[in-house]
Amino acid sequence: MSAQPCATDILSRATACRDGSAAAHLKFLSIFVIFFTSMLGMSSPVLLARLFQGKSLYDRAVALIKCFAAGVILSTSLVHVLPDAYSSLADCRVATRHPWRDFPFSGLVTLIGALLALAVDLVASSHVEHAQYAPVKTNEKESSSAESRIELGGGGGCHGGDSTGAVAAEGSAVTDEEMLLRLKQKMVSQVLEIGIIFHSVIIGVTMGMSQNVCTIRPLVAALAFHQIFEGMGLGGCVAQAGFSFGTMVYMCFMFSVTTPMGIVLGMAIFSLTGYDDSNPNALIMEGLLGSISSGVLIYMALVDLIAVDFFHNKLMNSNPKLKKASFLALTLGSAAMSILALWA
């Protein structure tokens, strides 16, 4: 007997919260708020890195920013994206249908996303390394011809030529290693932005289709902080990659505009088709895209950010205090993004 009044109360609250006009006003406000906070979040580490560039603290500041970024991205994937994807595919309107009831597809698609990120990483790394071998071989041929010319020139210049050639070879090796590292960082930043953009589009479209004012109102504030922290994560990686100023502005703009564009797209879809965000097909699409995004972000955070910094960063390995501070930054980034899961 008590279940019926409870169900009636839930239905009446859902009806009271469903206000299309008020929801539209909130969504238009959220477009500008989220764009501004996204731009603020991503541009902050980029501007800080440029401010510190050339100073003694530059490398340490970038390392700390990047570790904070890695914590934000790892928390985004495990605490925000993956649970949302799982809940979408586990919804009773989806989980009772074939084949969604037969297999945990959210975990499978997350695995596929991680493997796809690995495949892209391997192909891009192989391409970058192959592109770098040709200049090295050319330098070796030039060095050999230079040595033969020195030997023909007489014994007096031979010793001096050997030392100069050794220094030049060492400088060339260092330069090629730095170029490979910089190209790798650029590739990581670009793939990472693609994964985050997938996530941002899903958030925007879902919010744009929703007509529930009680859900949208707290979501606007939560998403504002969400975009600030996620933008700081991506901005920290972009700052270290060494892109040109124009490319960084373009990447900041693309990140900032993605969620507002998703909101507009969701509003257009609802206006043209009346397509509800609780529709089973919408839940399936949201769950699959979220799972792929989660797999990509997990791989990028663990392999290309955390593992590289804590195990292959010469500056961090030679400075125990910096390594402890970096771990603290990683923990703070993870904690800050995880706390936001209380609201969004």
Side-chain angles (χ1 to χ4, degrees), residues 35-230:
F35 176 81
F36 175 76
T37 53
S38 300
M39 184 67 75
L40 177 65
M42 187 167 177
S43 61
S44 296
V46 173
L47 293 175
L48 284 173
R50 293 180 69 87
L51 182 65
F52 281 106
Q53 193 166 15
K55 298 182 180 180
S56 58
L57 294 177
Y58 174 73
D59 292 333
R60 297 177 185 178
V62 169
L64 292 174
I65 290 172
K66 192 178 177 185
C67 288
F68 183 88
V72 168
I73 292 164
L74 185 61
S75 177
T76 298
S77 59
L78 291 174
V79 182
H80 292 260
V81 186
L82 185 57
D84 288 345
Y86 176 81
S87 63
S88 296
L89 295 180
D91 188 275
C92 60
R93 286 159 292 187
V94 176
T96 54
R97 298 168 58 177
H98 180 79
W100 309 104
R101 65 186 178 189
D102 303 324
F103 195 83
F105 280 95
S106 57
L108 175 64
V109 177
T110 300
L111 173 62
I112 293 172
L115 293 177
L116 285 175
L118 173 60
V120 171
D121 207 349
L122 289 173
V123 171
S125 298
S126 176
H127 176 73
V128 168
E129 290 174 4
H130 179 73
Q132 289 300 309
Y133 285 151
V136 173
K137 290 181 179 179
T138 304
N139 291 337
E140 288 175 355
K141 291 178 181 178
E142 292 176 354
S143 177
S144 299
S145 61
E147 287 178 1
S148 60
R149 285 196 300 269
I150 291 170
E151 290 175 358
L152 289 174
C158 184
H159 181 70
D162 286 342
S163 62
T164 305
V167 172
E170 184 181 354
S172 176
V174 171
T175 302
D176 290 332
E177 183 180 354
E178 289 177 351
M179 289 178 65
L180 275 172
L181 181 60
R182 186 59 58 85
L183 288 171
K184 172 77 172 178
Q185 289 169 345
K186 288 182 178 180
M187 181 200 69
V188 168
S189 300
Q190 290 167 341
V191 175
L192 188 60
E193 181 161 28
I194 291 171
I196 289 176
I197 281 176
F198 264 117
H199 172 48
S200 299
V201 168
I202 294 168
I203 291 175
V205 171
T206 303
M207 184 174 173
M209 288 192 299
S210 177
Q211 303 300 306
N212 192 324
V213 179
C214 300
T215 301
I216 295 173
R217 190 177 289 114
L219 195 59
V220 174
L223 280 180
F225 288 101
H226 180 280
Q227 292 300 102
I228 287 177
F229 286 126
E230 199 170 65

Side-chain angles (χ1 to χ4, degrees), residues 2-18 212 214:
S2 60
Q4 185 66 31
C6 181
T8 304
D9 291 343
I10 293 173
L11 182 61
S12 62
R13 282 198 300 268
T15 304
C17 288
R18 197 171 181 85
N212 192 324
C214 300

